[in-house]
Amino acid sequence: MPQLSELTAAVAAGKRTDTVRLTQELLAAGSAPQDIVEKGLVPGMAIVGEQFKKNEIFVPEMLVAARAMKEALKLLEPLLASAGIKPKYTAIIGTVQGDLHDIGKNLISMMWRGANFAVIDLGTNVSADKYLAAAKEHNANLVGLSALLTTTMPAMKDTVRILKAAGLSTKIMVGGAPITQAFADEIGADGYAADAGTAVDIAKKLVGQAA
Amino acid sequence: MAKRNHHFSFAAASARYDAWWLGQRLDRPPVSLWVEPRHPASAPRSNHATLRDRWLDAKFQVESAYAHLSHNPAYGDCVPSFFPNVGPDLVSTLFGAELVFGESTSWCQHTVHELADWERFIATPPDFNNPYWQAIEEMIALAADRFGGRFYVAQPDLHGNYDILAGLRGPEDLCLDLIDDPELVRRACSHASRAYLEAYRRVYQRLTSLGQPCTTWCSYLHNGPAYIPSCDFLCLVSKDIGEDFIRPAVEQETAPMERTIFHLDGPQALHHLDMVLRLPRLNAVQWVFGAGHGRASDWLEVYRTCRQAGKAVQILAEDAADALHVLRELGPDGVWLLVGTPFKNANQATAFLEEVHVLSA
């Protein structure tokens, strides 16, 4: 029976075929699907996040790791669902209204999934009302707002205001090329992440999970 | 001492840019600046049903530019020009990509859906009869006719190499393709770069035949082939990929140019600066640190690195104080100052230009 550490290494290296094979072997040997996710796959993506933060790897390497994990999850998710096991935290994410850029948002979404958050991706050009409706519908712990254009920063501010005014307990996190901690503070966001690696740490802190 | 004229003069500006490209200066560095208009421009009103209609309406675009240029006297070395524009993915449209238009930019709909589609792409010649390229050609012709030599017509925005591929495929899938089949992607990029060069050749010949100097959205001047090479995709990839894939593509695209200024966009791309500075046909660097990342004065080390490598720099200063601080620190040789915040009036602008003269003596 392979070790969970082998699976972690395969995910971190983006080895899709090895990741799927090791997942199958672990399942066949009787490992619990939840353990495979939490002790095998998630630590692999955590390594990737740390390497990304230190500029040891870049977006292509991060994407192949996420793809490897996604392939493994295709095997595991039906088993988890049938056992009634769901991720503990739910996050909504999208790019704010007027902005069609999506790569930053996609990277964060991928890393949150890698940290075992359930992620509902609303896509790009998302109105404040749509964020609010999704946050209510999914009882989200976290809402992530992304913007690449300076011209759409006011839309981010409006979205934060509307979400806050709704009185939800949902935490709001913002990011994107022109966004700074100062801007996040100014508009009343609960958190700001400068990159996809940091976004996991901040998200965990915001929802109350130890980073 | 005779009072200096600070209105735009083609002869004086051309001479300043000629020196700047070579890392030198004439009487002072080139300066791009704007003054708030005393009267609002009487621009034509848009009655277009969609943003797409507005963007592609060549007559409307040219008349809007004419109204703006007529009401805004140009000072310093800011070339009074019209920039024919449909957004950054013009070259991707030569391969069938459709554009989606926003208020101030456009996006490209992907046409390469899986890795194997690159073979189809490589076998596809660029189509210069597509509506976007035709709109650009119409804008150039109308503008040259309307302006009658009073204002200039700039080259459109031609993103090259891996930005063309990212427009067609999406940047994330392109990243995965680079890992899965790097040589196929390299061949695709070479095909894209050939189309880019053909697009440039057509634009250059057309504008030259109309008596236009070489300028673009980056408002330099040069009498001969010049452009602003770029690769926004750089910010996603490692130094190794930058060196092995992007550097050869940019070299291919800059080979026919007499003058080039590389557009290096964002702090995430800064780890490629060494590679950029080793490009053999590079004259200058436009370092775009971007909103939220301080002022030009905060990036002196980047400018110094470029100057020490023998390259000129364009300084994207926030305001006059920012520009003057950088000028004092770097000295005037090989420096081009662009002041982002418009001056309140002509007196303030000319006072600033006088100060640049004094600091450059």
Side-chain angles (χ1 to χ4, degrees):
Chain A
M1 173 176 157
Q3 300 295 310
L4 284 164
S5 59
E6 291 176 63
L7 181 61
T8 298
V11 171
K15 293 180 175 173
R16 175 168 43 164
T17 309
D18 287 353
T19 300
V20 170
R21 176 182 55 78
L22 288 164
T23 300
Q24 288 168 330
E25 287 176 11
L26 284 161
L27 285 171
S31 293
Q34 193 171 5
D35 283 348
I36 296 174
V37 173
E38 293 179 358
K39 297 175 184 171
L41 301 176
V42 171
M45 287 305 290
I47 291 170
V48 167
E50 285 302 312
Q51 290 175 329
F52 188 76
K53 274 192 284 187
K54 294 175 188 166
N55 289 336
E56 293 170 358
I57 63 166
F58 291 85
V59 174
E61 296 81 9
M62 182 189 263
L63 287 168
V64 289
R67 183 173 65 178
M69 178 164 176
K70 192 174 173 185
E71 293 288 321
L73 284 174
K74 280 184 194 168
L75 300 173
L76 296 165
E77 278 173 346
L79 304 173
L80 293 165
S82 64
I85 299 166
K86 292 191 290 192
K88 193 171 174 186
Y89 302 106
T90 299
I92 307 289
I93 195 164
T95 308
V96 299
Q97 191 154 38
D99 205 327
L100 296 186
H101 293 91
D102 65 359
I103 188 160
K105 180 264 298 174
N106 291 348
L107 291 174
I108 305 287
S109 169
M110 191 179 76
M111 291 305 291
W112 282 353
R113 286 196 176 102
N116 203 21
F117 280 55
V119 179
I120 289 92
D121 186 342
L122 302 178
T124 60
N125 194 23
V126 180
S127 68
D129 289 345
K130 197 169 173 188
Y131 279 111
L132 181 58
K136 285 179 177 172
E137 179 188 345
H138 298 281
N139 194 23
N141 307 94
L142 183 64
V143 175
L145 311 179
S146 174
L148 185 88
L149 302 171
T150 51
T151 50
T152 55
M153 288 164 71
M156 181 176 272
K157 182 179 180 179
D158 287 344
T159 305
V160 171
R161 180 177 53 77
I162 287 167
L163 286 168
K164 289 282 180 188
L168 306 178
S169 60
T170 311
K171 299 292 184 186
I172 304 168
M173 185 168 155
V174 296
I179 309 302
T180 61
Q181 181 67 59
F183 180 73
D185 294 341
E186 180 191 322
I187 65 175
D190 300 301
Y192 157 75
D195 59 67
T198 312
V200 173
D201 300 339
I202 304 289
K204 285 179 176 176
K205 281 181 190 157
L206 289 176
V207 299
Q209 181 183 339
Chain B
M1 189 176 71
K3 195 175 177 185
R4 277 186 280 261
N5 176 12
H6 292 297
H7 282 90
F8 176 81
S9 147
F10 180 78
S14 289
R16 288 189 189 107
Y17 285 112
D18 283 347
W20 171 80
W21 284 116
L22 301 176
Q24 301 162 5
R25 77 172 186 287
L26 217 54
D27 53 342
R28 61 163 172 75
V31 177
S32 300
L33 55 77
W34 294 266
V35 175
E36 290 180 5
R38 279 176 295 181
H39 305 289
S42 54
R45 294 184 64 175
S46 167
N47 296 314
H48 301 91
T50 65
L51 286 169
R52 178 187 175 87
D53 291 345
R54 192 189 77 191
W55 276 80
L56 298 181
D57 184 342
K59 189 164 189 295
F60 173 79
Q61 297 298 341
V62 169
E63 289 301 326
S64 298
Y66 187 85
H68 176 78
L69 291 164
S70 301
H71 284 82
N72 292 279
Y75 292 90
D77 308 290
C78 195
V79 182
S81 65
F82 164 61
F83 169 51
N85 186 29
V86 294
D89 292 309
L90 177 59
V91 183
S92 295
T93 71
L94 301 177
F95 296 100
E98 291 292 336
L99 300 179
V100 177
F101 291 96
E103 188 61 41
S104 59
T105 190
S106 65
W107 291 269
C108 191
Q109 290 186 328
H110 307 154
T111 57
V112 175
H113 301 295
E114 55 188 67
L115 184 62
D117 286 349
W118 286 123
E119 291 290 1
R120 176 178 51 79
F121 164 75
I122 291 166
T124 304
D127 171 19
F128 288 92
N129 289 317
N130 81 68
Y132 306 106
W133 188 267
Q134 290 299 309
I136 291 289
E137 290 204 343
E138 191 184 355
M139 287 180 209
I140 289 172
L142 283 175
D145 185 50
R146 178 72 166 103
F147 295 171
R150 190 174 164 201
F151 308 121
Y152 302 93
V153 186
Q155 296 169 341
D157 194 0
L158 302 173
H159 278 217
N161 55 80
Y162 289 86
D163 288 347
I164 301 171
L165 303 191
L168 295 167
R169 176 75 162 123
E172 289 156 73
D173 285 324
L174 181 59
C175 284
L176 291 169
D177 292 350
L178 266 170
I179 303 279
D180 291 341
D181 195 340
E183 291 314 310
L184 175 59
V185 177
R186 194 193 298 277
R187 284 198 292 123
C189 187
S190 186
H191 182 59
S193 291
R194 283 193 293 275
Y196 166 92
L197 285 172
E198 173 60 15
Y200 183 85
R201 188 191 65 78
R202 287 174 182 238
V203 164
Y204 178 74
Q205 286 193 346
R206 180 72 177 129
L207 288 169
T208 305
S209 74
L210 293 167
Q212 299 294 318
C214 213
T215 188
T216 184
W217 61 271
C218 181
S219 160
Y220 51 68
L221 286 169
H222 180 64
N223 284 317
Y227 205 63
I228 176 162
S230 63
C231 179
D232 291 347
F233 186 69
L234 268 175
C235 69
L236 304 181
V237 301
S238 66
K239 276 186 173 183
D240 287 347
I241 289 179
E243 194 67 47
D244 295 346
F245 290 85
I246 293 164
R247 177 179 152 92
V250 176
E251 285 189 16
Q252 181 184 352
E253 291 173 354
T254 52
M257 305 296 170
E258 291 180 1
R259 298 287 184 269
T260 61
I261 171 172
F262 194 92
H263 165 79
L264 187 64
D265 198 338
Q268 285 88 356
L270 200 52
H271 62 290
H272 297 287
L273 179 61
D274 289 348
M275 178 276 283
V276 168
L277 293 174
R278 281 184 281 108
L279 289 166
R281 299 193 71 82
L282 188 74
N283 296 91
V285 175
Q286 180 194 54
W287 163 234
V288 184
F289 43 88
H293 298 288
R295 294 156 63 86
S297 305
D298 299 319
W299 295 98
L300 289 170
E301 282 312 305
V302 173
Y303 301 132
R304 286 196 179 104
T305 302
C306 296
R307 292 297 299 123
Q308 283 161 7
K311 308 302 179 189
V313 286
Q314 188 198 41
I315 310 298
L316 301 178
E318 186 174 320
D319 52 28
D322 194 24
L324 293 173
H325 179 78
V326 174
L327 180 59
R328 284 190 193 96
E329 291 291 326
L330 295 184
D333 291 349
V335 166
W336 166 11
L337 300 173
L338 183 149
V339 185
T341 305
F343 289 84
K344 293 285 179 198
N345 52 53
N347 287 342
Q348 284 188 8
T350 55
F352 171 76
L353 287 163
E354 280 296 324
E355 197 161 356
V356 173
H357 264 287
V358 170
L359 286 171
S360 306

